[in-house]
Amino acid sequence: MTDAPRSVFPHRHLLGIEGLSPLDIQALLDLADEQVEVSRQIEKSKSTLRGRTQINLFFEASTRTQSSFEIAGKRLGADVMNMQVASSSVKKGETLIDTAVTLNAMRPDIIVVRHHAAGAVHLLAQKVDCAVVNAGDGAHEHPTQALLDALTIRRNKGRIEGLTVAICGDILHSRVARSNMILLAAMGARVRLVAPSTLLPPGIARLGFETFTSMEKGLKDADIVMMLRLQRERMNGSFVPSVKEYFRFYGLDQEKLAFAKPDALVMHPGPMNRGVEISSDVADGAQSLIREQVEMGVAVRMAVLEALASHLPNR
Amino acid sequence: MSNGLILFKNARLIDPASDREERGGVLVRDGLIQAVGPQVTEASDAQAIDCGGQVLAPGLIDMRAFIGEPGGPYRETLKSAGEAAAAGGVTTVVSMPDTSPALDDPAVIDFIVRRARDTSIVNVRPAAALTKGLEGREMAEIGRLREAGAIAFTDGARSVTNAQVMRRALTYAGDFDALIIHHVEDPDLVGQGVMNEGEFASRLGLPGIPREAETVMLERDVRLVRLTGGRYHAAMISCADSAGIVRNAKDRGLPVTCGVSINHLALNENDIGDYRTFLKLSPPLRHEDDRQAMIEALADGTIDVIVSDHNPQDVENKRLPFAEAADGAVGLETLLSAALRLVHSGRLSLPRLLRAMSTRPAEILGLPAGRLAVGAPADLIVFDPDAPYVLDKRQLRSLSKNTPFDEARLEGQVSTTMVAGRVVFQRDTM
């Protein structure tokens, strides 16, 4: 009974933060806290998922997230298989369903999916019998990233409730931002969104989030400054004029960080564009939690896999 | 020089910003207006300028002038444009970014600011490119350009045809409270056209430009302003329907303003006469009905500003068959005289006219000038609105002489121009 998962998580899949209650989130974070300790031991293996098959199905390249899920699965004793599907060979809709049906026939227990189209993971979840974890779908959600961010915040600040968190940068295209906004708000944080108007989703202010187009104003007295990655193809005239201009007005450097609280912490989901959305001295500075976020990533994914395992059919 | 203290006395003060119209004087110290009003009559320690009952008003602010520097100094330099402006009563010129290289880089804006400060006797405020290379494809660095000294953003004589680019530019500019000035002309509808589409073009055998080239683009822009909330100024409108579009936009409370060129207020397509290329303009001179509509729209406030659309062209670009000649006319020096025609014909009051040439441009651009108020910059003009003269293009201070008013009988001449407390122009009187 030592490694038996607890039935605290009432969901069969983890498709997004949307739909999770604060209690669900808290349970996952508590579980993740325990996994941090497991990961820090010399003997890192558990047997929760022994004999189980975990398929990491990535339609979009992501070495970091995939490795994190792979390590998490292996530490829980699962047989992990990585499948890279070149997005060019997959044409949405039917082909995705075909893939799902094929995979399902291999009888996996958990499928971890990343897909470039929002909603693709939900579609796949309808077609398979096993648990599905969303590892990022389009610009929609990236729930494990939000959970690992929350865990990092909670471990450093002791709480999430009442904190002011500024999420800055390319909000429009960011699944990380979406999951974080929902999670942090649900847990009682005050969420601010800071970006040029071209990178703010239309109507976002009406959803109850404070929006700022000035870093100085948006960062004022913030406890947490969460930077987002700006994809280079989205710069140069389309959404913002240039890298230089973006860094000048929206890149996090010491000068802008000084507007936040003196003990404010800096986060970034990685990989970073140094000198674009964040300066090197801030990224590597004393206030940065960026490396810790990576460690928490493994713990959170172990927690998620373990929580979902409680719903898998018994052997 | 009395410690920089200058007194203008015995003037007819007109300040459109405060609806002031009375006899009196203005006292200037250290580049600023220190006192203004009927009580300002004497100051023993000041250098006095007797206005002799002439009008004293805020200096004109021209929101649209093309200057050849950098890249085309043979057409016009910042120095020559400054001299022309001062003689015309223009104390601030907004220069267009259609230069070579285009004003799309903070370093080039910085160059213009410094060069103008060193060589021009009037204020020159550069408008930067709205899109890189004025190509309409990628937004320029609005934030950095603004920091470098750009006062507004425009692609000058070009229109941004891509609606997505315009939408994003309006959205992004809003974050910096930056003003976008747009030349409203759909190049596809212009096609090969060279003058207003209609009976007269048919008679001359020239391809026409429909009014819809302007109205379609303007209507699109107004809808994008409604979507984005960006501050927008249509550089020049030229036809009755455009006035209607702007009127509707203003009625809906949108941040839309617009200008009209002095040419479209003073001239119509018939003035082209025998293929006179100095009257080949963009947008083209329209029908007399449109000209009348422009005057009405100006009078009722639909049109905010009058611009010179000063666009010097050398002889080689104008001495060509009409269809092949370059667009544009010089206008800095004749702006006020030509505009006074509207006053003399009883269509517009003098304060209303001056409002459109100084107070409103200052408000739209966020400049402290354009008013006779204590503490405002001493950018002032003194002029006799009734002084008659015949324009001789050879007397123009611009390097290019392509004026549509050559040999025209005009009334009203500037006698003194002051910029930042310094007299930069004084007309020789016999």
Side-chain angles (χ1 to χ4, degrees), chain A residues 155-171:
Chain A
R155 287 172 69 93
N156 280 275
K157 291 284 185 188
R159 66 195 164 100
I160 294 171
E161 191 175 2
L163 294 178
T164 299
V165 184
I167 305 177
C168 314
D170 187 355
I171 313 274

Side-chain angles (χ1 to χ4, degrees), chain B residues 28-49:
Chain B
V28 172
R29 184 195 284 275
D30 298 332
L32 302 175
I33 295 175
Q34 195 179 42
V36 57
Q39 78 286 358
V40 181
T41 51
E42 289 302 330
S44 56
D45 54 345
Q47 178 197 351
I49 297 174

Side-chain angles (χ1 to χ4, degrees), chain B residues 324-347:
Chain B
E324 293 165 23
D327 294 328
V330 292
L332 278 168
E333 213 165 331
T334 49
L335 175 61
L336 181 62
S337 303
L340 282 167
R341 281 183 170 180
L342 304 175
V343 176
H344 295 308
S345 64
R347 300 296 303 276

Side-chain angles (χ1 to χ4, degrees), chain B residues 391-405:
Chain B
L391 187 87
D392 178 354
K393 70 178 178 187
R394 291 167 303 182
Q395 304 294 320
L396 292 175
R397 285 152 181 85
S398 288
L399 295 184
S400 297
K401 311 294 181 190
N402 51 313
T403 172
F405 296 105

